Amino acid sequence: MASITLVGPFSQLLSMQTLPLKGALQDEQLPVITEAGLVLEGEIIKAVGKFEALRKQYPEAEVHQLKEKTVCLPGLVDAHTHICFGGSRARDFAMRNGGKSYLEIAKAGGGIWDTVTQTRQASQEDLTKLTVQRANRHLGQGVTTIEVKSGYGLSVEEELKMLRAIRSANQQVSIDLVPTCLAAHIKAKDFSGDHAAYLAHLQQELFPLLLQEGLTERIDIFIEEEAFTPEISQAYLKAARLLGFDLTVHADQFHPGGSAVAIAVGALSADHLEASTEGEIKALAESNVIATALPGASMGLGCAFTPARKILDAGGALAIASDWNPGSAPMGQLLTQACVLATFEKLSNAEIWAGLSFRAAAALNLYDRGRLVPSYQADFVLYPTDDYREITYQQGSMMPMAVWCKGTAL
């Protein structure tokens, strides 16, 4: 039988319990409990409420009593990252800021293929180590669940190497890494056929091995002019869905078209959306697809942000993720990026925290985290303040004083 632990009192606890999955939110809707406590039973939340009332209700509980002022929030969920990679693209960043175009950078040996080359040169053990390091940095910033994509291998064996490295990393960290296969990131330069043939090759040669080894339950594709067209992408995703994979899409980053595919195939999420117009926004809001904003990419590339305000006002579900990757989003500071997005898109605190917690978890098809309610996984983060508004006000510079994952302080 799992042990019972009472943690608190917290100056404020934001449970997220009553907030809906879709639509705009006001801060007045945030369920804030003062002088609060959490009762944990092993890895699970057993009860939430006033600390002193819980102490009386659970006299057998081991008490982890806090002396400092503290705000308790659900552990953050980063639903879109590329933290399994080798090398650096600092040269790309400098060239881009110096006015060089994407094509000029690629001709100079940069771009995605540069990371593919460096990732292929790295061993599985190297990639595991790097992924663990980056995941632990995220953990220190309050992130307790991280989606991690492949996509820098671009061959059957190299994609398998990446996904095996992600699996190994997941066994070495205290938090949860959710693997996604992005073998359809771009067409591999060393593949002799066209884009459709490359996708067919992945379906025939890679998908069976993913299932055989249980390496991932998720398939992603980059729908864009320099990657894959909506037509061939939709066929690829439908084939993946028939095999039981969950789907997500890199959509509408530079041109619209990808989000329509995400809706058509029943994807869990459409990510990026910087180029989404009123039509795409309306269609997303009327669907069950989570719209995932990636402000780190907008900051890294110097382009427009996802139209988050319009998506929420239309009734859509908005998640916020870091897109941490070596090319367009090297910062990897999830909360800072969310606060910057909020400044430009005028998002409430309630919309920020929902987008970083249960709405982000829904983009990963996870409904056991992201809220501080009974039966959910005991993932939560503590900040050294008595006013939750201070956290976003400081735009990510206030670091957590403690992070709990699966009922254990890390």
Side-chain angles (χ1 to χ4, degrees):
M1 185 175 178
S3 61
I4 305 295
T5 304
L6 170 61
V7 187
F10 311 115
S11 306
Q12 295 177 328
L13 180 146
L14 279 63
S15 70
M16 305 301 193
Q17 182 168 16
T18 56
L19 298 182
L21 182 62
K22 300 179 69 174
L25 300 169
Q26 300 299 317
D27 286 350
E28 291 75 18
Q29 294 174 258
L30 276 171
V32 180
I33 306 173
T34 58
E35 297 303 312
L38 283 172
V39 176
L40 316 179
E41 186 171 22
E43 299 182 356
I44 304 300
I45 297 170
K46 186 176 181 66
V48 185
K50 293 286 189 178
F51 180 79
E52 290 303 330
L54 292 172
R55 192 203 290 267
K56 293 175 182 177
Q57 187 178 353
Y58 296 94
E60 75 280 17
E62 177 184 347
V63 179
H64 186 98
Q65 188 149 1
L66 303 172
K67 304 296 184 183
E68 310 93 336
K69 56 186 180 181
T70 310
V71 168
C72 178
L73 286 157
L76 308 186
V77 177
D78 194 344
H80 183 128
T81 84
H82 304 253
I83 62 171
C84 182
F85 64 87
S88 168
R89 298 252 293 282
R91 180 183 62 167
D92 285 23
F93 188 78
M95 291 178 69
R96 186 162 57 243
N97 287 351
K100 299 296 184 183
S101 69
Y102 179 89
L103 185 58
E104 289 173 319
I105 293 170
K107 285 183 176 179
I112 290 174
W113 193 254
D114 186 13
T115 298
V116 171
T117 300
Q118 296 182 77
T119 302
R120 286 181 174 184
Q121 290 171 350
S123 67
Q124 181 177 320
E125 292 72 23
D126 291 337
L127 292 175
T128 297
K129 182 179 179 180
L130 290 166
T131 304
V132 167
Q133 290 173 351
R134 295 168 186 141
N136 282 331
R137 198 192 89 175
H138 241 17
L139 170 63
Q141 297 167 6
V143 182
T144 55
T145 300
I146 310 172
E147 187 258 18
V148 187
K149 300 181 189 296
S150 65
Y152 294 124
L154 303 189
S155 72
V156 171
E157 280 307 313
E158 291 296 327
E159 286 291 307
L160 290 173
K161 181 181 78 174
M162 289 192 71
L163 289 162
R164 288 166 183 155
I166 295 166
R167 180 173 60 188
S168 296
N170 192 37
Q171 295 166 350
Q172 296 178 37
V173 295
S174 302
I175 56 181
D176 288 326
L177 306 184
V178 179
T180 298
C181 179
L182 181 59
H185 199 174
I186 57 172
K187 183 179 81 71
K189 282 187 177 181
D190 52 3
F191 182 82
S192 59
D194 62 13
H195 286 72
Y198 177 68
L199 294 183
H201 172 68
L202 297 178
Q203 292 171 46
Q204 295 163 10
E205 303 298 331
L206 180 59
F207 283 8
L209 296 175
L210 298 179
L211 294 170
Q212 182 180 319
E213 293 192 39
L215 288 170
T216 182
E217 298 177 358
R218 294 166 47 85
I219 298 295
D220 193 355
I221 190 169
F222 185 22
I223 301 178
E224 195 49 71
E225 288 184 359
E226 68 269 20
F228 300 96
T229 66
E231 293 74 23
I232 63 173
S233 298
Q234 184 160 327
Y236 176 78
L237 292 168
K238 284 183 175 179
R241 191 175 186 91
L242 285 174
L243 292 173
F245 290 106
D246 285 336
L247 308 176
T248 183
V249 179
H250 279 62
D252 299 0
Q253 184 175 10
F254 304 114
H255 304 88
S259 60
V261 174
I263 294 167
V265 300
L268 291 172
S269 71
D271 303 9
H272 276 294
L273 307 174
E274 295 91 340
S276 297
T277 68
E278 296 293 338
E280 284 79 32
I281 290 168
K282 183 175 184 293
L284 281 166
E286 292 173 352
S287 76
N288 293 321
V289 178
I290 305 291
T292 302
L294 305 175
S298 299
M299 296 166 68
L301 294 174
C303 65
F305 288 101
T306 301
R309 180 75 271 145
K310 291 181 177 180
I311 290 169
L312 289 163
D313 288 346
L318 181 81
I320 305 171
S322 74
D323 194 21
W324 187 357
N325 73 71
S328 60
M331 180 199 289
Q333 304 274 358
L334 177 59
L335 183 55
T336 295
Q337 294 172 18
C339 293
V340 170
L341 177 71
T343 300
F344 282 89
E345 288 293 311
K346 304 307 175 191
L347 306 183
S348 68
N349 274 287
E351 290 164 342
I352 296 172
W353 293 118
L356 294 174
S357 59
F358 68 93
R359 288 178 171 178
L364 300 178
N365 205 23
L366 296 174
Y367 293 90
D368 64 344
R369 66 199 67 193
R371 302 183 196 260
L372 299 179
V373 296
S375 81
Y376 271 49
Q377 190 162 290
D379 295 347
F380 54 96
V381 56
L382 308 182
Y383 288 94
T385 180
D386 58 2
D387 185 343
Y388 72 87
R389 295 171 298 185
E390 285 285 340
I391 305 167
T392 49
Y393 168 61
Q394 297 191 28
Q395 297 182 307
S397 63
M398 179 185 289
M399 298 299 291
M401 58 188 287
V403 181
W404 289 62
C405 190
K406 301 175 189 174
T408 300
L410 303 177

